[in-house]
Amino acid sequence: MKLVIFIGHFKTGSTSIQSFLSSNYLALLEAGILYPSVESQGLSRNLAVVRAGRDQSTAGDGLNIIEPHNALALRLKNEEDGHGVPSYYPAAPSGFQMMQFLHNQIEELKPNSVILCSEVFALLGMTPQRAGVERLARRFAQYDVTIYCNLRRPDEYLSSWHRQRLKFGAKLLPLSGEGLQEYLDSAHFQQAKMIEGWIKDHFPKARLIVRNFAEVKASGGSVVDFMRNAGIVFPANLQIPKDQNPSVPSAFAEIGRRSILELNAALSKEIVQWLVTARRRVRHPGDSEVEMYGAKNRAVMATRFAEVAASLDRLTGRNPFYPDLRDIGVSRALDDLTAAEVVLPDLVADARHRGLDPSAIDWLATLDLRK
């Protein structure tokens, strides 16, 4: 049996892949490909699809259904280092119970291929003891395993992930200041160590696939690229969702960050959610045009990533893995604070048109981004 474990990274299309796999559960199962659930909600939904005899989109369903292996990874991390399991993965069983869910489905359904897919798996590669990876290896290393990873150049990745965290209500420092420091020694920056945490001791015989996200996008997106490279024969006529889970645009990010720091949780949540949707209505500079780090932190990032890049080249056999790596040190023309000031009047007009809470509109209309 083939087992493909997609370990992320964050902000490289994992949500789109998860939506694709969950929305095509029955068609995949009939082709011998299992996207297994890990708890009763997901299992019940899959049984309902089987009984109906047809797949249906999981858009709008709970994350236990769409992203079951995020719940698994979070629980494994929780049981190693106490990291919390968010409330949007409700009633998550123990790690042992989730492992039994996986084992029992494999034993009973006897698929040709199994896909586990979670960007949170990336974090397991750099926990102190790698206990979650070890637990998965004890159960599944005997299969024909592929460890699959999408990676994104760190300046593009950290900006996207930092802005994504606004959607969770995180109180963030600017990336142009101390906000960069919390990432430099983590799985979010130490890309080679994160992968080695999976393959060095626990899945040493696994086939390793590491894709540059720039190439993933150029090849048709994360779902198409995954189908092409995972080593699994997928059936025809599967439903491929549009790209999922956009971040707050770089030009809006400082407004969202300030809202979380200055307003109550309910009001800031409304503003951040609105900023995500406003990207389609309010003209703004593209993310690649907005400087989030400043020259000083770009230099820090370029220096610190040089060793990571060398390890990544050796690990993947691609030299260089990032052909455009020098761009990490190149500042963009428009800094994020100025970009936010430029778009703020149009955002205020859109907020009024969309009927945001009057308190949110008043805050936006009087916001001084230089204070």
Side-chain angles (χ1 to χ4, degrees):
M1 186 194 80
K2 292 183 178 180
L3 172 62
V4 177
I5 307 178
F6 181 95
I7 64 171
H9 220 206
F10 294 82
K11 303 308 297 178
T12 63
S14 58
T15 303
S16 295
I17 297 173
Q18 290 159 336
S19 180
F20 161 73
L21 294 170
S22 59
S23 293
N24 291 284
Y25 173 81
L26 182 56
L28 292 172
L29 185 62
E30 290 175 339
I33 304 167
L34 175 64
Y35 182 59
S37 53
V38 296
E39 48 70 66
S40 61
Q41 186 183 23
L43 184 63
S44 298
R45 195 269 181 188
N46 291 342
L47 288 172
V49 166
V50 171
R51 183 180 182 185
R54 59 182 177 81
D55 277 310
Q56 57 185 10
S57 172
T58 53
D61 284 346
L63 296 187
N64 279 341
I65 293 170
I66 303 171
E67 307 173 356
H69 310 139
N70 280 6
L72 169 64
L74 286 163
R75 177 58 78 201
L76 294 176
K77 193 172 191 306
N78 166 260
E79 292 178 352
E80 177 178 356
D81 63 11
H83 185 283
V85 179
S87 59
Y88 38 84
Y89 295 99
S94 70
F96 174 79
Q97 289 172 310
M98 290 187 180
M99 293 286 201
Q100 284 298 108
F101 258 87
L102 294 176
H103 171 80
N104 292 339
Q105 288 167 88
I106 292 170
E107 287 294 301
E108 293 297 325
L109 297 172
K110 295 180 172 51
N112 299 320
S113 303
V114 174
I115 300 172
L116 303 182
C117 178
S118 172
E119 66 273 22
V120 186
F121 281 149
L123 301 183
L124 300 185
M126 285 192 67
T127 59
Q129 304 299 324
R130 315 292 197 271
V133 180
E134 182 181 2
R135 292 174 70 179
L136 287 163
R138 285 203 305 266
R139 293 270 189 162
F140 306 120
Q142 76 272 19
Y143 297 120
D144 178 5
V145 178
T146 295
I147 303 296
Y148 195 114
C149 185
N150 288 342
L151 292 178
R152 194 169 180 177
R153 204 179 72 201
D155 56 326
E156 295 179 349
Y157 166 71
L158 290 180
S159 169
S160 183
W161 174 239
H162 201 68
R163 290 179 280 116
Q164 176 74 1
R165 293 179 65 197
L166 297 174
K167 294 165 66 174
F168 308 140
K171 295 183 177 181
L172 303 174
L173 295 170
L175 283 172
S176 56
E178 295 181 9
L180 176 65
Q181 298 303 314
E182 69 174 294
Y183 298 121
L184 295 179
D185 294 318
S186 75
H188 295 290
F189 190 80
Q190 298 293 334
Q191 295 178 354
K193 287 182 179 179
M194 178 269 289
I195 295 172
E196 288 172 345
W198 277 84
I199 64 172
K200 185 176 181 180
D201 297 319
H202 303 300
F203 289 97
K205 297 180 180 179
R207 175 188 179 212
L208 177 64
I209 299 175
V210 185
R211 299 284 295 149
N212 184 332
F213 190 57
E215 297 172 351
V216 170
K217 291 188 291 184
S219 72
S222 58
V223 173
V224 171
D225 196 74
F226 180 76
M227 293 173 68
R228 185 176 295 147
N229 292 288
I232 294 173
V233 178
F234 287 88
N237 301 319
L238 297 175
Q239 298 300 310
I240 298 179
K242 295 180 180 179
D243 288 342
Q244 308 282 310
N245 200 24
S247 301
V248 175
S250 296
F252 303 171
E254 182 61 16
I255 297 167
R257 191 185 76 85
R258 289 280 295 273
S259 76
I260 294 170
L261 296 177
E262 297 179 13
L263 302 174
N264 65 60
L267 206 56
S268 64
K269 181 178 181 180
E270 180 180 0
I271 288 175
V272 170
Q273 289 177 340
W274 159 71
L275 287 172
V276 174
T277 67
R279 76 189 191 283
R280 298 190 296 263
R281 301 183 301 271
V282 177
R283 293 186 62 181
H284 60 278
D287 293 338
S288 62
E289 303 173 69
V290 178
E291 179 55 48
M292 298 288 290
Y293 301 96
K296 181 179 178 180
N297 273 0
R298 278 198 174 271
V300 169
M301 195 162 32
T303 299
R304 290 286 298 271
F305 197 72
E307 183 178 348
V308 179
S311 297
L312 198 59
D313 292 348
R314 292 192 296 271
L315 190 65
T316 62
R318 298 182 59 181
N319 191 1
F321 180 79
Y322 291 115
D324 54 355
L325 191 62
R326 289 185 179 180
D327 285 351
I328 292 179
V330 180
S331 295
R332 310 302 183 252
L334 184 66
D335 68 88
D336 58 335
L337 197 59
T338 301
E341 287 180 321
V342 169
V343 299
L344 184 56
D346 288 340
L347 283 172
V348 172
D350 185 77
R352 289 179 172 138
H353 181 70
R354 305 297 293 187
L356 260 65
D357 186 297
S359 296
I361 296 173
D362 289 344
W363 179 82
L364 287 163
T366 58
L367 178 60
D368 185 349
L369 289 161
R370 296 291 173 176
K371 285 187 177 180

